[in-house]
Amino acid sequence: MNEWREQLKHHVNTLEKLEKFIHVSPQEREAIQAHKNTRWGTTPYFAALMDKDDPECPIRKQVIPSMLELQNEFGMEGYLVWKENRDTQEKRPDSIARQYRDRVAFTVTQTCGIYCRHCFRREMTIDKVLKLRLDVDEGLQWLSEHPEVRDVLITGGDPLLLSDDEIEYLIRRIREIPHIQMIRFGTRLPIVLPQRITPSLIKRLAGYHKVPIWINTQCNHPKELTELTARAVYDLATCGINVGNQAVLLKGINDTVEVFRELHQKLLGIRIRPYYVFYCEAAPGIDHFRTPLEKGAELIRDALRGHTTGLAQPLYVVATNIGKIPIVASDSIVDKNDQRYLLRNHDGRFTELPVIS
Ligand SMILES: *Cc1c(COP(=O)(O)O)cnc(C)c1O
Ligand code: SF4
């Protein structure tokens, strides 16, 4: 059996299995026992990155249920239906989520390599209160009937958990649709199951083609980056696939200047280009991960801008029902009169620029 299939077979999703990796705290034990109706778990590979003794470990907090998930002050009920415009007039299969005219998200599976506690799609992936009918052929048919769509983002769940044959089929069928100009995969597997990037998968993804494939993964803390991930990203690059990162801003995990900077520098160090940092969305049960909205913009200003290359700078966005909205710290232009702008840099010094009329 493939190593990645072995990893899935031994998914760490019970207290007993978790105890082989860490000293489970009384709070973690209580939460696991209380979360009988939700999915949780991770690959053994990712579990092995956990700190044995520290319940504050950023990997433990992303994987192990918490009693705090049962509190819900700010999360919206029916979040995903609102966010993905599922109750609008346009007739779409359940697999297609739409916020833009030219691009859509195509959900092909509800299974993941790790069930992130902070998942904004947790109504579908973890709590299973939202039932969707995900039919790949129905989605492909819809795509072929919508010539204004030029960019397809294949998502889940985790789409790289499909078999090599299913992935090849999906890519081939999408490439047969004349108006589709690019294919993207959103997948956490390069981080939580890098063994999935096998020579056989690479063979099916490889090849110079007019419709390129891009991958965005999700890494939220520098501890998640290993030599195996570095290798998987390199292998993807050799077959013409660029890997970007979409981090989620998570309170107590990556919301300090030090961790935020190290994360983005380390990503570039293994050829992953930071793309987005997402504000932790208003999905139910994840209040304890959410920072004030301004936090991400302040971190980009204080941790990245002027402190590391522009290549390491993601765009900080809040994802909404009307698309992603960038949030930037708006204190760079300090003053403006008829003649000049007064600009402030990352370390508080000032400079001037002429006003062009
Ligand atoms: C995020 C998202 C996209 C892709 O957005 P980009 O800014 O192009 O990465 C497309 N459709 C939906 C529904 C999305 O949520
Ligand atoms: S891998 Fe993605 S879809 Fe799955 S639980 Fe994590 S964030 Fe959600």
Side-chain angles (χ1 to χ4, degrees):
M1 195 189 282
N2 269 321
E3 199 187 338
W4 70 274
R5 294 231 184 250
E6 280 289 328
Q7 284 275 330
L8 292 175
K9 210 175 106 194
H10 296 107
H11 216 234
V12 181
N13 54 8
T14 63
L15 186 56
E16 294 66 38
K17 291 187 198 169
L18 186 63
E19 280 173 329
K20 299 210 165 69
F21 292 88
I22 60 167
H23 301 123
V24 178
S25 75
Q27 289 80 5
E28 287 168 332
R29 190 177 303 269
E30 182 194 6
I32 289 169
Q33 280 156 356
H35 281 76
K36 286 275 177 275
N37 296 320
T38 77
R39 270 192 210 163
W40 71 277
T42 180
T43 56
Y45 160 82
F46 203 59
L49 300 178
M50 291 176 179
D51 188 300
K52 271 195 173 31
D53 299 306
D54 182 8
E56 291 300 303
C57 164
I59 297 186
R60 281 167 73 151
K61 288 210 252 184
Q62 290 180 67
V63 171
I64 304 170
S66 159
M67 292 307 277
L68 296 172
E69 290 169 46
L70 303 175
Q71 299 173 3
N72 184 42
E73 193 180 341
F74 300 106
M76 287 184 218
E77 293 307 325
Y79 178 74
L80 214 51
V81 169
W82 170 80
K83 159 81 188 300
E84 298 187 337
N85 299 307
R86 293 188 176 276
D87 58 357
T88 48
Q89 294 298 307
E90 185 180 59
K91 240 175 86 68
R92 288 191 302 262
D94 279 3
S95 59
I96 302 283
R98 186 171 206 185
Q99 291 161 355
Y100 301 101
R101 182 174 157 79
D102 78 316
R103 57 207 196 275
V104 294
F106 184 11
T107 307
V108 297
T109 172
Q110 312 189 16
T111 310
C112 298
I114 158 187
Y115 292 97
C116 312
R117 303 323 298 168
H118 57 270
C119 180
F120 78 83
R121 279 196 217 109
R122 59 178 294 155
E123 294 158 286
M124 170 183 96
T125 53
I126 291 185
D127 300 328
K128 293 179 283 182
V129 291
L130 178 67
K131 304 262 185 263
L132 297 180
R133 204 174 68 88
L134 300 180
D135 181 316
V136 166
D137 287 313
E138 194 184 41
L140 288 165
Q141 180 65 31
W142 185 92
L143 287 172
S144 71
E145 291 162 1
H146 287 78
E148 73 280 12
V149 174
R150 43 172 296 283
D151 173 356
V152 180
L153 168 54
I154 302 171
T155 181
D158 203 307
L160 289 194
L161 284 181
L162 299 184
S163 70
D164 291 356
D165 285 346
E166 288 168 317
I167 291 171
E168 184 175 84
Y169 172 80
L170 197 55
I171 294 171
R172 180 170 55 76
R173 288 289 311 277
I174 292 178
R175 282 179 168 158
E176 283 166 7
I177 303 173
H179 50 268
I180 304 293
Q181 297 169 11
M182 59 186 278
I183 299 172
R184 288 190 279 174
F185 284 93
T187 169
R188 254 205 114 166
L189 296 195
I191 304 297
V192 301
L193 185 59
Q195 298 87 340
R196 175 67 187 98
I197 314 302
T198 57
S200 149
L201 178 66
I202 290 289
K203 208 181 295 166
R204 302 186 192 220
L205 297 175
Y208 180 76
H209 199 284
K210 274 202 305 217
V211 177
I213 299 173
W214 295 77
I215 284 184
N216 278 316
T217 191
Q218 183 195 140
C219 173
N220 300 319
H221 191 278
K223 233 183 131 166
E224 296 168 40
L225 296 171
T226 68
E227 183 52 33
L228 272 190
T229 290
R231 191 71 218 185
V233 172
Y234 178 78
D235 289 344
L236 288 165
T238 59
C239 74
I241 297 175
N242 290 292
V243 180
N245 190 52
Q246 308 194 138
V248 184
L249 180 60
L250 299 169
K251 190 161 84 185
I253 292 183
N254 58 15
D255 64 338
T256 64
V257 164
E258 295 70 31
V259 170
F260 199 79
R261 186 182 298 156
E262 191 193 346
L263 169 65
H264 288 93
Q265 290 177 339
K266 261 186 105 175
L267 284 166
L268 269 196
I270 63 163
R271 303 174 179 78
I272 301 179
R273 169 80 161 90
Y275 175 47
Y276 283 142
V277 168
F278 286 105
Y279 179 58
C280 184
E281 297 180 34
I286 57 175
D287 285 353
H288 55 300
F289 286 118
R290 206 174 295 115
T291 64
L293 180 60
E294 294 84 354
K295 187 75 192 177
E298 290 164 9
L299 282 167
I300 287 180
R301 180 192 64 199
D302 300 338
L304 302 183
R305 216 184 289 150
H307 300 282
T308 192
T309 168
L311 280 171
Q313 319 267 338
L315 188 65
Y316 175 54
V317 295
V318 48
T320 75
N321 60 324
I322 53 171
K324 298 177 180 68
I325 301 178
I327 309 288
V328 287
S330 55
D331 53 1
S332 330
I333 302 182
V334 179
D335 191 26
K336 181 192 174 186
N337 61 26
D338 294 346
Q339 278 95 46
R340 57 125 189 85
Y341 295 97
L342 183 62
L343 303 181
R344 179 172 25 213
N345 81 342
H346 63 277
D347 60 11
R349 287 181 294 147
F350 297 95
T351 190
E352 289 188 3
L353 218 62
V355 171
I356 311 298
S357 52

